[in-house]
Amino acid sequence: MLLLCSIHPPGAFHPQNWKLRISSPDNSVNPLNEIRREVENVRRDRTDIVESPEKLIQITKLPFKEVLQLHRSITANYSAFPIKGIDTYIELISNTALIPSGIESVDAMMEGGFLTGKIYEVCGPSGSGKTQLCLTISTHIAHDFEQQVHYIDTKTDFSGKRVQEMLQTRGYNDEVIGAVMERIQVTRIQDIYELFSFLQHLKTSLHHEQDGDHSVRIIFLDSLPVLLFPFLGNDLNDGLGLMNQLANTMKYIVTEFHITFIVVNLAMQFLEEENVPTVVSNECLPRDENLVMCETVKPALGKYWLDVPCMRLFIHKFDSSERREITVMKSTSLSTRKYCKVLIHPAGVISSLGSEYSEKPRNTFQNKS
C-alpha cells in the first residue's frame, strides 16, 4: 500500500492536522487500519520524536532542514519550559499569608494560625463545638481583615443570629454587624454534586479576578461526612471516587489561588466486636481532665481521607460545661502532642482564662490515625 502524508501547516505536528492521500493497489488492504497504526505509533513515540530529529525524519520522509525547523516548532509549542527555583520560591512567599483564628491560645498552638494554600480539618464528636469554632473564625476574618468568607453549609444549621450575638457581645454597632455579615457568603449544599458545581463556579470566578488579588482567602465546609456517607458502604463503590475528585479539586483551589480550606469532620468510634462506626462517647476520651485518645477513635470517611488535610484539630468536650480542649491530632509541621483549652462563650470560642497551649506527655496522647 502507498501512504503519502503531507503536514499542514509545517509547524503543527499533530495527527489531527495531517492531510492524507491514500491509494491502495491491493483492495484487500484496509487503509484506515494502516492509518490507525501510524497514528498510534506516533502517539506512542511522541517523546522520542521531540527528543530526536532522526525519528521525525523516518516518519515524515522530509529533508533534514525542514525536519529541524519542525522539531524546533514542536519543542517551542508543546514542551515544558524550565522555571528557576528562586522564582517559584519568591512567588510562593509573596502569595502566602498566615490567617490567625482570633483565639489567642489556638493561634499560639498553631504558631500563628492557618496558612494559605493548605487544607485543614476540624474534627470531633457531635456537639463538641466544631461549628462554633468555624463561626468564630469566620466572624474574626470578616471583621478584622475585611475579607470575604465562603461558608458552605451542608447541614442547614448556619446561624446568622449566632454571628450577630458574637458581634453584639463584643460591643459592635448595627452598621458594623451588617458589614461583617455581608462578607460571610453562605452557600447551602444538599448533595455532593451540588458541591462540585459550586467549586467549579468558584474556580471560574477566581480565574477571572485579575493579578491574583483574590477577595476570598478562606473557605469553610461544614460538614463533609453528611455529603459522603450515602456513598460509603460495603456495597457502594462510588464514595472513594467522589472523595478522590473532591480532594483533587480542593487541592487545586488552595494551591492555584492561595486559599485556606477548613473542613469539618466527625469523630467516629469503631467497635472491636462488630467494627460498626458509631458516634464517639465522651466517656471514652477524658481521664483526669486530660485528653487520652482511644485506639478506636478515628475521623470519619475512612483511611483515604486521613492524609488529605495537612492538619487535623480534634475538639473534645469535657463535661456538660462549656469547656473544650483542642488538640493537634495530625500535622505535617507541628507536634501532635500540642493542645489548648477554650470556652464556648456568647462572644464565640475564646481562650480559657490564664490558659496557653501546652504539650502532653508522650505516653498520654497517641495518634492512631
Side-chain angles (χ1 to χ4, degrees), residues 12-259:
F13 183 71
H14 193 279
Q16 294 180 351
N17 296 327
W18 290 5
K19 289 186 177 180
L20 301 174
R21 299 193 307 272
I22 303 170
S23 61
S24 177
D26 185 3
N27 293 329
S28 61
V29 178
N30 188 348
L32 293 180
N33 291 335
E34 296 295 327
I35 296 173
R36 293 190 184 98
R37 292 194 196 94
E38 293 294 334
V39 172
E40 291 299 326
N41 291 335
V42 170
R43 290 175 178 172
R44 184 173 57 253
D45 299 332
R46 182 167 48 189
T47 302
D48 297 336
I49 293 172
V50 175
E51 295 177 353
S52 173
E54 290 76 11
K55 187 72 174 180
L56 204 53
I57 294 175
Q58 296 177 4
I59 294 178
T60 61
K61 308 301 182 181
L62 295 175
F64 179 78
K65 184 177 181 179
E66 295 183 12
V67 168
L68 189 60
Q69 181 181 1
L70 183 58
H71 181 267
R72 291 174 179 173
S73 178
I74 293 174
T75 304
N77 293 327
Y78 299 102
S79 295
F81 291 93
I83 301 177
K84 293 183 179 179
I86 186 64
D87 295 336
T88 303
Y89 176 76
I90 293 174
E91 180 183 1
L92 178 63
I93 294 298
S94 62
N95 289 291
T96 300
L98 191 63
I99 304 177
S101 65
I103 308 169
E104 293 182 4
S105 57
V106 174
D107 291 335
M109 179 185 67
M110 298 180 63
E111 299 182 357
F114 300 93
L115 274 174
T116 56
K118 302 292 184 180
I119 300 174
Y120 293 83
E121 180 182 292
V122 176
C123 179
S126 298
S128 58
K130 302 183 294 296
T131 299
Q132 294 294 323
L133 179 62
C134 292
L135 292 178
T136 301
I137 299 173
S138 301
T139 304
H140 170 70
I141 295 172
H143 176 265
D144 289 22
F145 297 97
E146 298 183 352
Q147 292 282 329
Q148 290 186 5
V149 176
H150 274 296
Y151 199 102
I152 304 174
D153 180 20
T154 65
K155 302 181 297 181
T156 65
D157 62 354
F158 178 89
S159 176
K161 292 183 178 180
R162 178 64 176 128
V163 175
Q164 182 181 7
E165 180 187 14
M166 293 179 184
L167 295 170
Q168 287 178 341
T169 304
R170 299 174 188 180
Y172 299 120
N173 56 39
D174 293 341
E175 183 178 356
V176 174
I177 294 175
V180 170
M181 296 186 72
E182 284 184 359
R183 298 187 189 107
I184 302 177
Q185 303 180 9
V186 181
T187 303
R188 299 195 185 277
I189 299 296
Q190 296 182 354
D191 56 53
I192 189 67
Y193 303 107
E194 285 189 9
L195 178 60
F196 287 138
S197 299
F198 169 76
L199 294 179
Q200 184 62 40
H201 174 74
L202 181 63
K203 286 167 55 178
T204 303
S205 62
L206 291 174
H207 271 301
H208 291 164
E209 296 184 11
Q210 297 179 351
D211 300 328
D213 186 16
H214 308 300
S215 58
V216 179
R217 299 308 296 269
I218 191 165
I219 302 173
F220 292 87
L221 176 54
D222 183 16
S223 92
L224 182 57
V226 175
L227 303 179
L228 289 177
F229 274 166
F231 301 96
L232 298 176
N234 295 331
D235 299 330
L236 300 175
N237 298 321
D238 296 337
L240 293 180
L242 295 172
M243 202 180 301
N244 179 65
Q245 181 180 352
L246 178 61
N248 290 336
T249 303
M250 292 169 58
K251 289 180 179 179
Y252 175 85
I253 291 176
V254 299
T255 304
E256 183 71 16
F257 306 110
H258 308 285
I259 291 176

Side-chain angles (χ1 to χ4, degrees), residues 273-285:
E273 295 80 8
E274 300 177 0
N275 197 26
V276 178
T278 59
V279 178
V280 66
S281 61
N282 291 331
E283 290 77 8
C284 180
L285 295 175

